[in-house]
Amino acid sequence: MNIASHLSRVARVWPEGPAVAVGTQVVHTYAALGHRVSCLAAGMHDQLGLRPGDRVLLALKNCPAYLELMYACWHAGLVAVPANAKLHRDEFAYIAGNCEAAAAFTTPDLTETIAAACDDTVRAVVEIDTDRYTALLNAAPVSVANRRADDAAWLFYTSGTTGRPKGATLTHRNLNAAFLGYFADVDPGGPWRAFLHAAPMSHGSGLYGIANVVQGACHVIPDSGGFDANEVYALIEAWPGLSFFAAPTMVKRLLDVPQAHDTSNLKLIIYGGGPMYVEDCLKALERFGPKLSQLYGQGESPMTITALNAALHADRQHPRWMERLASVGVAQTPVEVRVVGADGSRLSPGDVGEVVVKGDTVMAGYWGNPRASADTIRDGWLHTGDMGSFDADGFLTLKDRSKDMIISGGTNIYPREIEETLLTHPDVAEVSVIGREDREWGEVVVAYVVANDRAVLGSDDLDAFCLEKMARFKRPKDYRFVAELPKNNYGKVLKTALRERDAGR
Ligand code: AMP
C-alpha cells in the first residue's frame, strides 16, 4: 500500500478536475498533477540516484510545487521530510543530518540557506522551477513504487518547544488512517471542493492535503505563500466550498479584521494544534457561523487524537455546550484515547491525568532514537505529554502539557484555566501563565500579559478581576506586561522561553 496510489486513482477518475491553484488561477488539473508526479518520481530515481527509503528534505514555503513533490517522493518510494520554511539554518542542518537526507528541494528564498546547511549530507539541492527541476519533469513517467504499510512515508519533525526536534516516523498506514479520521470526525460532510493552504504545508495543512487529494478537491495556494488575513478573506469570496486549516492564532488574526467580507462561500475552518480559548471560539462562531471544526493531535499521531466537529460547535441548545466548546472533543474514530495516572492506570471521568493514544495513526517511533521512542510509546500507547480529563460524555478537556502544570503549596494549578479567565477581560489581548520557583510555595503563578492597544491596565485591575472569578490560591501573584509573547514558527507560545526570561528577570 502506497499513499501515492490515491493520486493516481483520482487523476483517472477526475482528470479534468482542478487540482492546484495559485490565488484564483488554476495551474494544474488532476490529470496534469498525476502526470507531473510520475515524471518527477522517475527523474528523482534516474537523475538524482534516489532509491526507495531515501529521505528527501522539503524546504519550501507554500507553493504549487509542494504537493507534487510530496507525492513524487511517495510515488518513488522515498520518505518526505517536510521542514518548516521559517527554521534557522542550524535547525535545517540538524534535521538534514539527523535523517541523513539524500536530497533537498527548495524554493528560491531558501536555496542558499539549505546549500550551506546541508553541505556534508545532502547529495543534491534542487530549486523548484529551475532547468534542473524541469529536467526531472521531463523524465518518462513511471508507475507507483511498491511500499508496505509499515514503511516510512513522512518524517514529521516536532516543533521543538523543548530541546532538539525529533522526527516522528509516519508510515503509509499512519497517513491512511489519519485521513480516514479526517472524513469520519473532522470534515465529514462533502462535497470537498477547495482546500486553502494558508498554514504551513510542512505541518497540518500538508497532512490535510492528503485527505483533500483523496476527494479531488482543488488545493489553493495563496499568492503570498503564507498567511495574510485579508488575502484569506478574498480567497473565501473567490472559492465556493472552501475549507482550510488554521492555527488558533490565525483564527484570531482573521477576527481582528473588521467584518466587511462575504464568507458565505466558506465551508469549514479547521483549527487546532494549540489551545483555542472559548472567548475566541465564540467570536469565531459569531463571525463565521457554525463552520468551525477542531482537531487535537500531535506529530506523533498526526492530526488524530480527538475532534469537535461543526455539528457539536453548533449545538447551542445542549446544556453543556460551553463546556464542550472548551474541550477538544471526542476520540477520533481511528484511535482509542485514555487518560491515565502516573502508574499507567486508567482514570475515571473528571480525574486529570496524561492523555494516551493507541491506533493506526500512532507513529512507528522517532527516527534513529529508540530510547525516546520507548519512553513515548509504552505497551502500544503513545504518551502525549498532555494533561487532561474526560467528562462522562467522552469529551476530553486539555489542561496543560504536564511540564506546564504549576504546583503551588502542593496544589495543582492549570495555567490554561487562568489564561481563559484573564482573556475574558476586555483589555487583555494575549496572556500566558507560568510557574515561578518560590521558597515558601514551591511555585507561584505569574501571568505575562499583552494589553490591548489603548488599555491602561494595571496589576490591581487584573487582581480584582481574578478575585471575582477564581479561587484565591489560583490567582497570579505577579503580572508582567509585555509587548508580545515569545512564539515558535507555528505561533505556539514558548512557555520554556518565558520561564527562562522570568528566571533571569
Ligand atoms: P505538534 O506535534 O507540533 O503538532 O504539537 C502537538 C501539541 O500541540 C499537542 O501535544 C498539544 O499539546 C497541542 N495541541 C494540539 N492540538 C490542540 C488543541 N486542539 N487544543 C490544545 N492544544 C493542542
Side-chain angles (χ1 to χ4, degrees):
M1 180 231 282
N2 184 330
I3 196 98
S5 58
H6 302 305
L7 173 61
S8 306
R9 187 187 63 240
V10 175
R12 276 175 274 132
V13 178
W14 294 293
E16 298 312 321
V20 181
V22 178
T24 55
Q25 219 55 42
V26 175
V27 293
H28 304 309
T29 61
Y30 266 97
L33 179 66
H35 181 71
R36 289 172 72 89
V37 163
S38 48
C39 296
L40 269 175
M44 287 176 173
H45 182 276
D46 300 345
Q47 297 172 33
L48 303 181
L50 299 174
R51 294 292 174 268
D54 281 351
R55 275 78 59 208
V56 177
L57 182 69
L58 301 180
L60 309 107
K61 64 178 197 183
N62 288 6
C63 62
Y66 213 115
L67 199 65
E68 69 192 22
L69 277 169
M70 280 205 293
Y71 273 85
C73 286
W74 298 329
H75 196 104
L78 307 166
V79 184
V81 188
N84 188 316
K86 290 186 189 155
L87 292 182
H88 185 271
R89 192 190 63 191
D90 295 350
E91 295 169 302
F92 282 124
Y94 176 79
I95 290 174
N98 185 255
C99 71
E100 298 174 275
F105 285 86
T106 60
T107 34
D109 53 319
L110 287 169
T111 309
E112 218 175 289
T113 308
I114 296 303
C118 300
D119 255 2
D120 309 329
T121 48
V122 177
R123 274 180 272 141
V125 176
V126 182
E127 181 180 309
I128 58 159
D129 301 335
T130 54
D131 290 347
R132 199 165 184 203
Y133 193 71
T134 309
L136 299 177
L137 283 165
N138 286 335
V142 285
S143 49
V144 178
N146 279 331
R147 290 275 86 188
R148 287 176 319 220
D150 290 328
D151 285 333
W154 179 323
L155 294 192
F156 187 107
Y157 276 83
T158 54
S159 35
T161 46
T162 51
R164 285 291 200 184
K166 294 192 284 290
T169 304
L170 304 177
T171 64
H172 291 264
R173 184 198 305 283
N174 294 152
L175 297 177
N176 246 315
F179 80 67
L180 292 175
Y182 177 88
F183 294 126
D185 308 296
V186 176
D187 186 5
W192 297 269
R193 292 167 72 179
F195 192 79
L196 171 66
H197 293 283
M201 293 175 81
S202 55
H203 209 87
S205 203
L207 283 161
Y208 277 168
I210 300 172
N212 281 280
V213 162
V214 170
Q215 287 299 341
C218 184
H219 296 256
V220 180
I221 315 293
D223 283 294
S224 67
F227 179 86
D228 175 285
N230 284 305
E231 186 181 30
V232 170
Y233 278 113
L235 290 171
I236 293 173
E237 285 180 359
W239 284 95
L242 188 78
S243 300
F244 59 97
F245 167 73
T249 40
M250 295 175 180
V251 178
K252 223 167 148 20
R253 271 155 65 193
L254 287 172
L255 293 171
D256 287 342
V257 174
Q259 184 158 14
H261 299 270
D262 177 3
T263 56
S264 54
N265 270 343
L266 178 67
K267 179 173 181 237
L268 201 60
I269 299 178
I270 304 160
Y271 67 90
M276 170 92 130
Y277 298 100
V278 177
E279 195 68 10
D280 294 331
C281 188
L282 289 171
K283 283 187 201 150
L285 280 171
E286 203 175 298
R287 167 81 59 106
F288 301 108
K291 296 177 175 181
L292 294 177
S293 182
Q294 182 190 192
L295 80 299
Y296 156 52
Q298 57 176 205
E300 293 82 346
S301 180
M303 309 301 261
T304 318
I305 300 178
T306 62
L308 187 77
N309 67 20
L312 290 165
H313 274 86
D315 192 11
R316 288 169 185 267
Q317 305 313 320
H318 195 282
R320 287 183 296 288
W321 178 62
M322 284 291 251
E323 283 103 304
R324 289 181 169 189
L325 286 188
S327 80
V328 291
V330 296
Q332 290 196 37
T333 310
V335 288
E336 208 179 323
V337 184
R338 289 184 182 171
V339 166
V340 298
D343 61 355
S345 61
R346 191 175 186 170
L347 299 181
S348 310
D351 291 341
V352 177
E354 186 176 11
V355 179
V356 297
V357 188
K358 195 181 229 175
D360 276 350
T361 56
V362 171
M363 64 165 181
Y366 292 115
W367 186 261
N369 196 341
R371 205 150 149 205
S373 308
D375 275 355
T376 307
I377 306 176
R378 286 175 255 150
D379 293 332
W381 289 95
L382 168 73
H383 288 250
T384 62
D386 293 318
M387 303 294 283
S389 65
F390 275 112
D391 69 8
D393 302 341
F395 286 73
L396 179 69
T397 299
L398 289 186
K399 298 295 176 186
D400 286 282
R401 304 275 311 161
S402 44
K403 62 182 177 352
D404 292 335
M405 193 175 75
I406 301 168
I407 305 179
S408 186
T411 308
N412 295 352
I413 298 177
Y414 298 102
R416 168 101 193 245
E417 199 183 320
I418 301 160
E419 290 161 1
E420 289 269 11
T421 307
L422 283 170
L423 274 173
T424 62
H425 191 291
D427 292 334
V428 172
E430 283 188 278
V431 62
S432 184
V433 167
I434 57 165
R436 177 190 294 162
E437 269 187 47
D438 182 82
R439 291 257 288 281
E440 188 182 353
W441 296 99
E443 278 183 299
V444 291
V445 179
V446 179
Y448 276 77
V449 178
V450 180
N452 277 334
D453 279 356
R454 291 157 292 112
V456 191
L457 191 64
S459 304
D460 292 349
D461 304 314
L462 292 178
D463 196 50
F465 186 74
C466 285
L467 271 173
E468 268 177 37
K469 299 192 181 258
M470 67 176 72
R472 296 183 75 90
F473 72 91
K474 289 185 187 169
R475 63 192 219 283
K477 297 282 179 293
D478 190 12
Y479 293 94
R480 318 286 299 182
F481 293 90
V482 289
E484 57 182 4
L485 298 171
K487 290 183 183 152
N488 73 6
N489 289 322
Y490 292 108
K492 292 191 198 198
V493 175
L494 290 166
K495 292 213 174 194
T496 315
L498 209 53
R499 278 191 285 264
E500 277 164 16
R501 187 199 285 185
D502 191 70
R505 77 190 181 283

